Amino acid sequence: MSLEWLVAWSWSLDGLRDCIATGIQSVRDCDTSAVATVACLLVLFAWYCYHVGREQPWPYASVNARMQGADAGGLQNGYVYCQSPECVRCTHNEGLNQKLYHNLQEYAKRYSWSGMGRIHKGIREQGRYLSSRPSIQKPEVFFLPDLPTTPYFSRDAQRHDVELLERNFQTILGEFEALSKGFSNCSLPQGWKVNSTPSGEWLTFYLVNQGVCVPRNCRKCPRTYRLLGSLRTCIGNNVFGNACISVLSPGTVITEHYGPTNIRIRCHLGLKTPSGCELVVGGEPQCWAEGRCLLFDDSFLHTAFHEGAAEDGPRVVFMVDLWHPNVAAAERQALDFIFAPGR
């Protein structure tokens, strides 16, 4: 048996040696310039994939992939606490304008100045725009000039996304109803945020808060979260992008306020809309309807209230921020870069 094994092993070594020799000869016979060209192309392709992946993160990565980073980045009880005095969402001074201009210059150096005229104009003259705006529309952080101005938008403004949301009304409503089973008279379920109001109670459950995915919440509403990735104009990796369930209890009044920017349209999909509920934007009242989307520009002075009886139950909407239809594709890409979370 030992002799047979040694002979077989010897034949195996001879075969391996012949295979290696054949491979070396094939490389020698090949045109070295062609090999060098292919190698260079492979290196350039690998560098390009790394560069694009590093500079342009996907706005909707999987929940599990973002879980660790998001939980370590100031997410408590399911929503973001701002912990930086340099945050672009919280800084309203000349330092903010300088920071935005620096971000624009960095973007233009990496990509192009083409199509950046309005953004450049808006950043350079931001102080004048925000101070001289009429009181009916005063975005608190960034105003993009020369955008058509109206408190409400028609469904045609973002028809694809509006129709997609309305087709999935029952799905979103079902996930909200599953969440609402966790409520009790003495405690607020994890993931819900209590907002300040002069009367009543206003609760929000964020899936995306200021451009940051909230993994714990997304796992509780997986089908709604996946739906966000199918929306063509949803603002994703940008501090002006949000997606949440908003609940107003009977007797609630939200103080009049302005949103941070005019580059977005806020979309409300009615989930539960009892009588006595109203949204007022720029002095114009509107009512929600179950299964229907209501589009408005929240950079206008706006408020909402629920004057219904306790037995009517809460007003519930699914809220998502969409791009203003007159913000061009090149501008959207630049604004995502300038206002990326944490930049």
Side-chain angles (χ1 to χ4, degrees), residues 63 65 76 186 193 210 225 236 251 273 279 312:
V63 172
Q76 303 174 20
C186 58
K193 174 185 175 183
Q210 296 177 336
Y225 176 76
T273 59
L279 173 69
D312 293 337

Side-chain angles (χ1 to χ4, degrees), residues 29 247 309:
D29 293 341
V247 178

